[in-house]
Amino acid sequence: MDRHVGFVHALRAAGLPVSPAEGLDAARALMVVDLAQRETLREAYAATLVKRPAHRPGFDTLFDLWFPPVITGAEGTAVAADAELPELRERLAELLMGDPADPAFREFARAMVGRFGQVRAAPGRQSWFSFPVLRALSPETLVARMLNAMLDERGGLPEKVARRHVERTVGAFTEAVAADVRRRIAEESGVEKIARSAVRPPIDRVDFLRATKDELARLRREVHPLARRLATRLSIRHRRGRRGRLDFRRTVRASLSTGGVPLTTHLRPPRPHRPELVVLCDASDSVSTFSHFTLLLTFALREQFTKVRAFAFVDTVDEITRLFAPGADVLDAIGRLTDEADIVRFGRTDYGHVFERFAERFPDAVGPRTSLLILGDARSNYQAPALGTLKRLAGQARHAYWLNPEPRAQWDTGDSLATSYGSVVPMHECRNVAQLAAFVETLA
């Protein structure tokens, strides 16, 4: 049970949403499966704890750490010790043409980590790495040899199928090497320590400011599904809102048929309020990932608002709504932003000057029906904050919000004016998709 509780805690720490009830379901599942069958145990945990396909890779990584396979090591050690590198590459090619589920596949990967994976990291200290294993065996350079062995004639659909199989098995071998490296490090340093760094958080919890190139592409693909889910929830919330005030005249008229007793009440149809939205977006390099993704979501949600106007700024401000005309490609519009918008004087963010220029150039942008949304890290390069101008803009708006992509612990460090601006406009930490989705639901 200690191992079970630690595993569930590690899943939560990695960002997987595992509730106490689901942890209890998993514990009950352990009572009806054969604990000696490792893959059965894995699937029992997955069935009770994993909600989305995107969470499965992180789950598998942590499962391999908390429930490692039994390693005999006899055969693999002999292979690694006796064979020369050309023989090992030949054996790897044979395995890559076969089934990655074959036990010999992972046994070979473990043997190769044992032979090539240990590197001196510091004087008197050694650790395990995947890179020297993959550099020594170089599985990518075996592709041509394997295709020639698998095909009588190159080209066409058969080669595409064979190449796809080889790419899949090469990826499986790379992951098998990485898994064994993690296992060995966990044995030396403790499973809790390696678990904290072994799993990337789910895509909806990846920090905007720390996302890799691949994660940025996945984040962009999250925009429209997220917008559809949020739009559905917002429309349901509107329909379930207040039903309207009593229509006294219709109620009295209907009561005449029941002797003046108002058995049926009639209500006026509700007048739904769809706010106008004005977005002030920091487009400087330090928060570009955050601002671009938030603009994508804003314009995917624009049917929820009567009007959406967007303004970008660095040290001066310009309206960019024209770039997002109906039918325009939003990604293309964001790419044109830095070239076509007048948002840079000297290239250093100056929030105070931006607020003053915004109030001067666009005096009619913010009104009593407007929700004002400011996106940025509140770092103004030690320039005057123009708090009075911001207070006037916030006073003119129906609502005003500020989304800051930095962790709250970094607010008010260096040139950050988070507390000063937050005293005028409520500031919310918004570092990932999950926090952004929660905020958008409250916005409308």
Side-chain angles (χ1 to χ4, degrees):
M1 287 308 301
D2 289 342
R3 175 66 51 139
H4 164 80
V5 172
F7 176 52
V8 171
H9 177 75
L11 291 173
R12 292 196 188 110
L16 275 68
V18 179
S19 69
E22 289 162 344
L24 291 173
D25 288 341
R28 293 189 186 98
L30 302 185
M31 300 169 63
V32 296
V33 301
D34 184 354
L35 298 181
Q37 298 295 323
R38 183 168 177 267
E39 291 308 311
T40 301
L41 178 64
R42 182 196 299 269
E43 296 309 322
Y45 267 122
T48 50
L49 302 180
V50 180
K51 298 182 179 66
R52 298 178 60 188
H55 296 161
R56 184 60 190 257
F59 165 86
D60 284 331
T61 297
L62 290 174
F63 180 88
D64 289 338
L65 288 173
W66 285 87
F67 303 95
V70 176
I71 307 299
T72 60
E75 178 186 352
T77 302
V79 170
D82 298 339
E84 298 295 331
L85 186 57
E87 299 175 35
L88 295 175
R89 282 170 51 82
E90 189 66 34
R91 175 58 176 156
L92 175 60
E94 294 175 5
L95 292 170
L96 293 176
M97 289 187 288
D99 185 359
D102 184 349
F105 190 91
R106 290 191 174 274
E107 177 63 29
F108 182 81
R110 289 193 289 267
M112 295 303 96
V113 173
R115 176 162 177 172
F116 300 108
Q118 194 169 32
V119 177
R120 185 179 297 276
R125 180 184 172 190
Q126 293 184 331
S127 189
W128 300 92
F129 298 92
S130 299
F131 175 72
V133 180
L134 301 176
R135 180 181 58 187
L137 297 174
S138 187
E140 293 83 359
T141 63
L142 299 172
V143 172
R145 181 193 306 182
M146 289 185 286
L147 291 177
N148 289 332
M150 296 169 67
L151 300 169
D152 296 329
E153 183 178 349
R154 298 285 293 271
L157 181 60
E159 180 175 345
K160 290 183 179 179
V161 173
R163 187 177 293 275
R164 189 175 300 118
H165 172 79
V166 169
E167 290 173 352
R168 181 173 64 87
T169 55
V170 168
F173 178 74
T174 302
E175 175 53 34
V177 169
D180 195 62
V181 166
R182 288 192 294 266
R183 177 186 65 82
R184 293 171 186 266
I185 296 175
E187 289 177 352
E188 295 180 354
S189 304
V191 65
E192 293 85 357
K193 182 177 180 180
I194 186 63
R196 288 194 293 268
S197 59
V199 180
R200 290 287 294 174
I203 192 64
D204 62 340
R205 297 184 184 276
V206 171
D207 280 12
F208 291 121
L209 303 185
R210 299 179 182 175
T212 64
K213 184 177 180 180
D214 290 341
E215 287 169 338
L216 287 179
R218 292 173 60 197
L219 281 172
R220 292 191 183 102
R221 289 195 293 270
E222 285 281 313
V223 169
H224 292 290
L226 175 62
R228 284 196 299 269
R229 290 198 302 272
L230 291 175
T232 300
R233 292 176 188 174
L234 295 176
S235 62
I236 290 174
R237 183 169 298 177
H238 289 160
R239 289 198 298 269
R240 291 179 179 173
R242 63 184 180 85
R243 299 171 56 198
R245 290 190 291 181
L246 176 70
D247 189 329
F248 185 78
R249 179 177 297 179
R250 290 182 62 200
T251 301
V252 171
R253 185 179 296 129
S255 70
L256 297 178
S257 62
T258 56
V261 179
L263 297 180
T264 304
T265 57
H266 292 269
L267 303 176
R268 297 181 185 277
R271 299 179 61 184
H273 170 71
R274 290 205 303 165
E276 299 175 1
L277 181 64
V278 169
V279 181
L280 265 174
C281 182
D282 187 344
S284 60
D285 291 340
S286 61
V287 292
S288 60
T289 305
F290 166 67
S291 59
H292 289 189
F293 181 80
T294 309
L295 281 175
L296 285 173
L297 182 61
T298 298
F299 281 88
L301 277 171
R302 56 187 156 190
E303 67 270 13
Q304 294 298 317
F305 303 94
T306 304
K307 184 195 301 182
V308 175
R309 294 180 69 180
F311 301 83
F313 66 88
V314 176
D315 55 359
T316 189
V317 62
D318 192 14
E319 183 166 7
I320 58 172
T321 311
R322 65 186 184 278
L323 302 179
F324 297 88
D329 182 271
V330 182
L331 280 176
D332 178 63
I334 290 177
R336 293 163 50 199
L337 187 153
T338 54
D339 296 330
E340 300 184 20
D342 179 20
I343 58 177
V344 178
R345 295 180 304 162
F346 309 114
R348 303 183 67 187
T349 313
D350 186 345
Y351 280 82
H353 185 263
V354 165
F355 294 144
E356 291 173 348
R357 286 291 291 159
F358 177 75
E360 177 185 334
R361 291 185 59 190
F362 309 101
D364 61 337
V366 179
R369 290 174 55 87
T370 303
S371 289
L372 174 63
L373 181 61
I374 303 173
L375 313 174
D377 58 6
R379 293 189 177 274
S380 195
N381 288 291
Y382 303 101
Q383 303 299 316
L387 292 176
T389 303
L390 178 61
K391 184 177 293 186
R392 186 169 68 254
L393 291 172
Q396 294 171 353
R398 180 183 180 90
H399 303 289
Y401 311 90
W402 190 310
L403 299 186
N404 191 328
E406 287 193 336
R408 191 176 295 271
Q410 297 180 14
W411 294 6
D412 295 326
T413 61
D415 60 344
S416 172
L417 295 170
T419 297
S420 298
Y421 285 134
S423 65
V424 178
V425 175
M427 188 171 292
H428 304 264
E429 180 185 285
C430 186
R431 296 189 291 121
N432 53 48
V433 171
Q435 290 181 335
L436 180 59
F439 171 77
V440 173
E441 288 196 29
T442 66
L443 176 63

